[in-house]
Amino acid sequence: MKKILTTAILCAGLVGFTACDSFLDEEPKSSLTLDTYYKTSADIIGNVNYLYRDGAPDKMGNMTGAYRGSSLSVMNMVTGYFVNEYEGQEVDCSYARQLTRQNFTQSCCNYLTNDTWKGCYKSINVANAVIKYVDGVEMDGQAQYKAEARFFRALNYFYLVKMFGDVPMITEPTEDATLVEYPARTAASEVYKTVIIPDLQFAVENLPDATFAGNSHRVTKYAADMLLADVYMRLGEYANAITPLKDVINSGKFALATNDNLAEGSAFNKLRTTDDLPEVIYAREYDAAISPNGNIPVHAFNLISPTFFANSSTGNKYSLWVNVYGVSERYLNVYGEKDLRAQMNQFFHRTYTHPVDGTTLDMKMLCNWYWYDETAILETGKGTKDWNFYRYAETLLSAAEAIAQSSGVNAEAAGYLAQVKARANMEGKDVSTIASELQRLGKQAFIEECWKERLREFPLEMKIWDDCVRTGKFPQISATNKGEVQFVDLIGATNGSGAKFKETDLYWPIPVNEIQRNPNLTQNEGYSAK
């Protein structure tokens, strides 16, 4: 099956034009205007393909940097439960973890928000152009390509409002590079109502009824369902979230990865090593020949690893080793004693035994086994594992919570939550037994059990901060008792690094450069406009 990467396209800039050429032979046609460019199916397809690689998908899933993780990883460091081992250099990681970003506005912009703002609005501009011109191009599949463009426009706006709050809402492409406009910030509620939700509703109706792998790694109606449900849950509209979530569940196309055993054959090691599992609904695709996943395989280790590999009999294929998203030991206490995910070499590891010479490395800290790729490290130097954005486990957990939030605990909600819990249970409890136990919980206790399960299932997929903002609660993980988590009000809570949350910690600074260029932009409270 041909992957979308083989036809990926690089496009022109944010305030110029969106003309493109091939991924491997880039030759931007930046002298053309949009109305003369969008004449062929190749023009449309090329620009849509570009949307898969830049903007929000890049900020969420690009862990290819040598010394830092993705934009999303830095945002999650606000919780204080994660740390970049190289944060002395990547200072925005430190500012996020210590909740001191307000004192270092320009640094936060330089390291993180400038690129996020530019990348997301560049993709929005490309999407706007496709949406405007696709109906005038003679080609097959017009509705599908429009739906893809609207999916990615919604995804980019969703990422922006989560990071910045109110943002300029632009729904027409830049037609003339000499035309200067200064848009003001639009209320996030209006961005949701006018763009994000309608775009995703259109995408659900017009994208293929297929799996991600079965659709040549293009987004499907089920990816749109998941994003739409994510949006509704962010807005607290839990009853509305149920329909798209049950659309995924009732399709019969998805299933949790299963455990062949509780070691290398576990579901979690399958998710680590294998693309296109029935659990995957939407992912960022990587390919050895065109776009490998950079330093993700060596982010499973820490700074002492190069010495270890240099002394091993087989050497290694990477030169830089940094744990850019280290997990605190305290975080392990979200798991009970018999939770498979807390066992070493499932999601995490502290030691590594070389598979050839048997030498063992003690890394002196908790590292990310979920990102380990033996073939890339020891043989090819090119990781190919896709980065999963939405998995079926999230569908089940979100459906369980949405049902409980909107109508209380019932057998259906308990069954969805029990499926995820049963997969990680090492005591042999089956789904029906666990579901029966869950139905005895009160509404709030059940909802909090859904929150805990999200902490346990997605520690390295960076969903914790979104959940904190959505729920207004922060998980205080016990320092001593396994499986014990208390949810307290987010504002005023103490994060995992001992810092207290303020109202101004909910958002990042609007890029100062953008404020200086645009007199109608205002800065987020607590940050400098200069």
Side-chain angles (χ1 to χ4, degrees):
M1 181 176 294
K2 187 177 183 181
K3 289 191 169 187
I4 194 167
L5 282 174
T6 62
T7 57
I9 302 293
L10 297 178
C11 298
L14 171 65
V15 295
F17 307 96
T18 58
C20 308
D21 210 333
S22 72
F23 182 90
L24 296 178
D25 183 23
E26 182 188 3
E27 187 181 347
K29 302 177 179 69
S30 58
S31 62
L32 300 178
T33 59
L34 293 181
D35 61 345
T36 60
Y37 175 69
Y38 279 98
K39 295 297 185 184
T40 70
S41 61
D43 298 339
I44 296 294
I45 295 170
N47 279 271
V48 171
N49 286 351
Y50 164 78
L51 298 173
Y52 283 80
R53 307 305 298 170
D54 207 344
D58 184 66
K59 305 312 164 193
M60 295 161 58
N62 186 345
M63 295 286 290
T64 63
Y67 299 107
R68 62 188 290 117
S70 65
S71 165
L72 188 60
S73 77
V74 180
M75 290 170 67
N76 276 263
M77 287 180 181
V78 172
T79 64
Y81 289 128
F82 307 94
V83 61
N84 183 342
E85 189 183 13
Y86 223 71
E87 69 176 20
Q89 172 179 296
E90 307 302 322
V91 293
D92 58 320
C93 299
S94 173
Y95 302 153
R97 185 175 60 81
Q98 297 175 11
L99 304 183
T100 58
R101 291 169 294 165
Q102 297 82 352
N103 300 328
F104 306 98
T105 299
Q106 189 61 62
S107 289
C108 290
C109 294
N110 291 341
Y111 277 86
L112 187 67
T113 67
N114 288 346
D115 189 56
T116 300
W117 185 279
K118 178 181 177 181
C120 287
Y121 274 111
K122 178 179 176 182
S123 288
I124 288 166
N125 194 44
V126 172
N128 284 340
V130 172
I131 294 163
K132 180 173 182 177
Y133 288 105
V134 64
D135 290 337
V137 176
E138 188 174 337
M139 62 183 296
D140 294 329
Q142 287 171 322
Q144 177 179 333
Y145 288 113
K146 180 184 282 190
E148 290 185 44
R150 293 187 71 169
F151 172 90
F152 284 111
R153 183 169 70 173
L155 179 61
N156 278 279
Y157 269 121
F158 190 38
Y159 197 82
L160 286 169
V161 297
K162 288 192 296 182
M163 190 171 197
F164 300 111
D166 301 341
V167 296
M169 183 174 67
I170 304 168
T171 58
E172 289 289 327
T174 301
E175 300 282 4
D176 185 345
T178 65
L179 180 64
V180 178
E181 296 183 2
Y182 297 112
R185 297 172 71 177
T186 303
S189 59
E190 186 64 26
V191 179
Y192 280 115
K193 183 177 73 172
T194 303
V195 178
I196 297 175
I197 291 174
D199 275 359
L200 292 174
Q201 290 171 334
F202 182 90
V204 169
E205 292 299 319
N206 290 279
L207 288 174
D209 180 358
T211 65
F212 184 63
N215 192 43
S216 300
H217 300 91
R218 306 190 78 89
V219 292
T220 70
K221 69 172 297 180
Y222 302 110
D225 274 325
M226 287 301 298
L227 183 54
L228 181 58
D230 206 351
V231 168
Y232 281 137
M233 292 185 74
R234 177 80 174 201
L235 295 173
E237 298 179 12
Y238 294 101
N240 287 338
I242 295 172
T243 297
L245 291 166
K246 291 185 72 170
D247 196 25
V248 178
I249 293 168
N250 293 337
S251 73
K253 297 180 184 296
F254 304 96
L256 295 177
T258 57
N259 297 313
D260 294 339
N261 54 55
L262 302 185
E264 292 184 4
S266 72
F268 309 107
N269 274 305
K270 290 178 183 177
L271 287 164
R272 174 179 64 85
T273 59
T274 308
D275 292 332
D276 297 340
L277 291 169
E279 183 161 341
V280 177
I281 299 172
Y282 172 44
R284 177 183 173 89
E285 182 187 18
Y286 288 105
D287 181 275
I290 300 173
S291 181
N293 65 16
N295 286 283
I296 291 178
V298 290
H299 290 331
F301 296 86
N302 69 347
L303 285 167
I304 66 174
S305 304
T307 301
F308 166 79
F309 276 102
N311 293 334
S312 72
S313 61
T314 60
N316 72 87
K317 301 298 181 181
Y318 293 82
S319 59
L320 294 171
W321 305 71
V322 179
N323 188 2
V324 302
Y325 198 64
V327 184
S328 68
E329 290 287 340
R330 184 176 171 184
Y331 196 90
L332 280 182
N333 283 348
V334 302
Y335 301 98
E337 291 282 0
K338 296 298 183 179
D339 194 310
L340 178 59
R341 295 163 295 194
Q343 311 309 308
M344 294 300 101
N345 301 104
Q346 297 294 333
F347 280 158
F348 317 106
H349 68 142
R350 292 192 186 91
T351 63
Y352 177 76
T353 300
H354 196 287
V356 176
D357 66 13
T359 304
T360 297
L361 166 70
D362 183 350
M363 287 171 285
K364 310 297 183 184
M365 66 187 301
L366 200 60
C367 290
N368 302 327
W369 183 253
Y370 196 55
W371 301 349
Y372 172 64
D373 184 336
E374 182 175 295
T375 300
I377 289 172
L378 299 179
E379 298 177 22
T380 65
K382 293 182 177 182
T384 62
K385 179 66 183 69
D386 293 348
W387 186 274
N388 295 330
F389 292 139
Y390 286 120
R391 295 193 275 119
Y392 188 59
E394 185 168 3
T395 311
L396 295 171
L397 293 177
S398 294
E401 182 185 348
I403 292 169
Q405 292 271 17
S406 58
S407 58
V409 180
N410 60 26
E412 182 182 18
Y416 294 150
L417 177 55
Q419 289 181 54
V420 180
K421 292 176 73 70
R423 179 170 69 171
N425 183 273
M426 299 176 66
E427 298 176 299
K429 284 187 177 181
D430 60 18
V431 172
S432 61
T433 301
I434 295 173
S436 179
E437 295 172 352
L438 290 170
Q439 286 186 73
R440 294 196 288 269
L441 295 177
K443 178 178 177 179
Q444 188 58 34
F446 182 91
I447 289 169
E448 291 187 6
E449 197 61 34
C450 292
W451 296 348
K452 292 175 189 176
E453 205 60 27
R454 292 178 69 88
L455 294 173
R456 296 163 182 154
E457 185 69 20
F458 308 117
L460 305 176
E461 291 163 82
M462 302 157 194
K463 298 181 182 285
I464 178 174
W465 179 240
D466 278 357
D467 286 339
C468 289
V469 177
R470 170 175 69 86
T471 63
K473 299 293 182 179
F474 184 76
Q476 292 283 7
I477 301 168
S478 172
T480 56
N481 300 329
K482 294 288 186 182
E484 184 176 309
V485 182
Q486 290 187 332
F487 292 93
V488 300
D489 289 344
L490 177 59
I491 304 304
T494 301
N495 79 357
S497 293
K500 282 197 173 183
F501 286 105
K502 311 173 291 295
E503 285 282 353
T504 57
D505 290 320
L506 298 181
Y507 297 112
W508 285 75
I510 301 291
V512 172
N513 292 345
E514 297 295 333
I515 293 174
Q516 292 174 344
R517 282 194 288 264
N518 180 353
N520 293 324
L521 278 182
T522 57
Q523 183 58 279
N524 278 327
E525 184 179 353
Y527 298 98
S528 172
K530 299 180 180 179

